[in-house]
Amino acid sequence: MTVNSRRSNSGLRKECLSFPEILAQSLGNIAPSGMVAVTIPLVFASAGNGTWLAYLIATIGLALVSLNINQFARNSAAPGALYSYVAKGLGLTAGVLSGWALILAYLFTAMTVLGGFSIYMDVVLAGFGIHAAPIFLFAICAGLAWYYAYSDVQLSTVTMLILEVSSIGLILLLTVIVLFKQGFTIDTSQLALEGVSFEGLRLGLVLAIFSYVGFESATTMGDEAKNPLRSIPRAVIWSTVLSGLCYVLLSYTEVIGFRGHETPFDKVATPLSLLASLAGVGGLGAIISIGVTISFFTCCLASISAGARIFFAMARHGLFHSSVGEAHEDNETPHIAVTLCSVFVFVVPASISMFGIPVLDIYGYLGSIAAYGFLLVYILVSIAAPVYLQKQGKLNIGNMAIALLAILFMLVPVIGSVYPVPAFPYNVFPYLFLLYLVVGGGWFLMLRLRSPETIEEIEHDLELIHGRFEKPEVS
């Protein structure tokens, strides 16, 4: 294929996304509005008055992971993103396992937020006296996400940016109103961590970390980003920090807003709507419910876009059928990968719901499985970063400390998800994820044994990707 000013070697649209649009990809995948509505109450159930601290620690930990990711993102960019980063540091086998885990992570995140979309859309429709079956709402969310991801990457990122910023803006407005009603007094119970235990804070931290997953998805836009070696690292770190600041502020506000209410904060189905009513602005609560619904949609869109690009990149390297690695001639999007991912994202939760499992349980089940994929990749990229720097002769004590702290931090939720042993079916999910990795690893081993020349071509291709983007050494 001939490379022109508009199309990259991969066939995706070249350098069409500005920094705000790249930032929108990561923010859309995090979906802070949706996490504020659903996850903060779950963190409060364990951490209580230490909820804000759990989010502060989580922000610091994920920022450390961001710094490790950016060791690669500052030097190279490609649609495969973390898959190629890990391969660069730890070899192709680790890279393929990362890509395999990322596909699961992004697609199961998309399935998870289909549940969130269904829950909040049902709340919105109930205001008009309408009730819709979850499977119908799943289809609407997945179908719209497919349309945007298939049609135009720039249109999809602009949509995510506008919708998520509008939604979080409304929630911040509610925050100001609540704090104003409280006279902007300091909640000493929270600052003094009254009634907070170490175990409760640890469990809350495990849940808080899950509020950030997807912050790295800007790295999947390596071909489409303008000035990728600058805009992508900035998007990775800023999406983490901005979301973290929102979580800390909003968790503090939600806890103080429900202080003394007859129903505990963590027992309220739609806390933001009730918080608005308690603050005397019930109409704003209804609008926020719409915003949260939209936030779940943007997360679904961002997850499908990111997962499809990992799928697309691995197919172009010969790891999946070559058709998955084709880009649309006119739209310049990974249309086949997007379509396959969108169908899968709809079919799985729709099938589960047919067995009568509540949507909120579907949200919890699929979200837990998705988290394992992200945690594995975050650990691997944090291991790969110092190895990569060592190969370049750039490793120093600071880099090693950042990598070690990030790895130790990510082990907290990993250990916390298996010990103490959670109730069924959550106790089974880690082993299902391991089985998934074994299948992926076995399939790659077969490919390595049956077609060693293909493996050599993939390794050569990955070297070319990094060779094309890496900054020249300054003499």
Side-chain angles (χ1 to χ4, degrees):
M1 181 186 296
T2 302
V3 179
N4 55 44
S5 61
R6 195 166 164 271
R7 186 185 293 272
S8 68
N9 286 331
S10 66
L12 302 179
R13 186 170 303 172
K14 185 180 178 183
E15 299 179 3
C16 64
L17 301 179
S18 64
F19 169 69
E21 292 165 333
I22 292 297
L23 179 61
Q25 170 63 34
S26 281
L27 283 177
N29 221 147
I30 295 172
S33 302
M35 295 303 104
V36 165
V38 176
T39 308
I40 288 180
L42 298 178
V43 176
F44 175 79
S46 297
N49 284 322
T51 300
W52 68 272
L53 181 59
Y55 275 105
L56 179 61
I57 296 172
T59 302
I60 295 170
L62 271 299
L64 292 171
V65 176
S66 298
L67 294 176
N68 286 307
I69 291 172
N70 284 348
Q71 296 292 359
F72 298 94
R74 284 195 297 265
N75 293 289
S76 61
L82 269 62
Y83 146 63
S84 62
Y85 294 171
V86 173
K88 184 71 173 177
L90 301 179
L92 185 57
T93 300
V96 169
L97 284 178
S98 294
W100 190 243
L102 275 174
I103 291 172
L104 174 141
Y106 285 128
L107 297 190
F108 271 67
T109 297
M111 296 174 201
T112 301
V113 295
L114 280 188
F117 177 88
S118 174
I119 292 168
Y120 270 84
M121 178 58 84
D122 196 47
V123 171
V124 172
L125 293 176
F128 299 93
I130 301 171
H131 174 74
I135 194 169
F136 176 70
L137 298 176
F138 292 166
I140 290 177
C141 186
L144 286 174
W146 167 82
Y147 172 77
Y148 278 106
Y150 182 99
S151 301
D152 188 334
V153 64
Q154 195 164 16
L155 175 63
S156 66
T157 53
V158 169
T159 299
M160 284 188 286
L161 181 64
I162 294 172
L163 297 180
E164 189 60 43
V165 169
S166 299
S167 181
I168 201 68
L170 290 171
I171 295 174
L172 289 174
L173 175 60
L174 175 60
T175 298
V176 173
I177 293 171
V178 170
L179 293 176
F180 176 78
K181 291 282 186 179
Q182 298 285 339
F184 293 100
T185 56
I186 302 299
D187 187 358
T188 55
S189 296
Q190 289 193 68
L191 296 184
L193 303 179
E194 198 173 284
V196 178
S197 67
F198 175 79
E199 181 65 13
L201 186 61
R202 184 185 70 82
L203 293 174
L205 178 60
V206 171
L207 291 168
I209 290 171
F210 296 161
S211 302
Y212 297 77
V213 294
F215 71 90
E216 76 300 323
S217 66
T219 60
T220 64
M221 298 291 176
D223 276 0
E224 293 118 322
K226 296 176 182 176
N227 193 8
L229 302 186
R230 178 174 172 78
S231 62
I232 290 176
R234 289 170 63 201
V236 168
I237 190 67
W238 277 108
S239 63
T240 306
V241 172
L242 290 174
S243 296
L245 291 175
C246 285
Y247 290 147
V248 172
L249 173 62
L250 294 172
S251 60
Y252 172 87
T253 304
E254 289 187 61
V255 171
I256 195 174
F258 276 93
R259 184 79 68 201
H261 189 259
E262 58 184 359
T263 304
F265 173 37
D266 56 306
K267 303 298 183 183
V268 178
T270 54
L272 294 178
S273 297
L274 181 54
L275 189 62
S277 297
L278 293 174
V281 286
L284 180 60
I287 298 173
I288 287 175
S289 292
I290 296 173
V292 171
T293 305
I294 292 171
S295 180
F296 282 123
F297 164 72
T298 62
C299 184
C300 182
L301 171 58
S303 298
I304 288 174
S305 294
R309 278 162 176 77
I310 301 292
F311 199 15
F312 170 84
M314 293 178 73
R316 289 184 65 81
H317 293 155
L319 297 169
F320 295 114
H321 194 277
S322 59
S323 63
V324 179
E326 295 177 1
H328 194 283
E329 186 65 29
D330 297 321
N331 296 343
E332 297 168 298
T333 59
H335 62 303
I336 295 176
V338 164
T339 300
L340 290 174
C341 290
S342 299
V343 170
F344 185 66
V345 162
F346 167 72
V347 168
V348 172
S351 300
I352 295 174
S353 70
M354 293 175 67
F355 289 95
I357 297 176
V359 175
L360 191 58
D361 287 343
I362 294 174
Y363 183 99
Y365 297 162
L366 300 181
S368 297
I369 295 172
Y372 294 124
F374 285 116
L375 290 172
L376 173 65
V377 177
Y378 293 164
I379 290 171
L380 287 177
V381 79
S382 295
I383 296 172
V387 176
Y388 170 71
L389 291 172
Q390 177 64 35
K391 291 177 180 178
Q392 293 193 323
K394 298 178 181 179
L395 183 64
N396 57 45
I397 295 296
N399 302 140
M400 293 177 63
I402 290 171
L404 180 60
L405 288 172
I407 293 166
L408 291 175
F409 187 85
M410 287 298 104
L411 287 175
V412 172
V414 170
I415 295 170
S417 66
V418 295
Y419 182 82
V421 178
F424 179 85
Y426 291 93
N427 61 328
V428 177
F429 294 155
Y431 304 101
L432 291 179
F433 178 68
L434 287 175
L435 178 61
Y436 173 81
L437 289 181
V438 168
V439 171
W443 156 76
F444 178 67
L445 178 61
M446 287 179 54
L447 180 62
R448 182 182 286 275
L449 294 174
R450 293 174 56 183
S451 183
E453 67 280 358
T454 300
I455 301 302
E456 292 176 4
E457 290 174 5
I458 297 170
E459 291 174 335
H460 179 65
D461 193 22
L462 288 172
E463 288 296 325
L464 288 178
I465 289 173
H466 288 269
R468 177 186 171 196
F469 285 102
E470 281 181 357
K471 300 173 184 176
E473 294 290 339
V474 178
S475 59

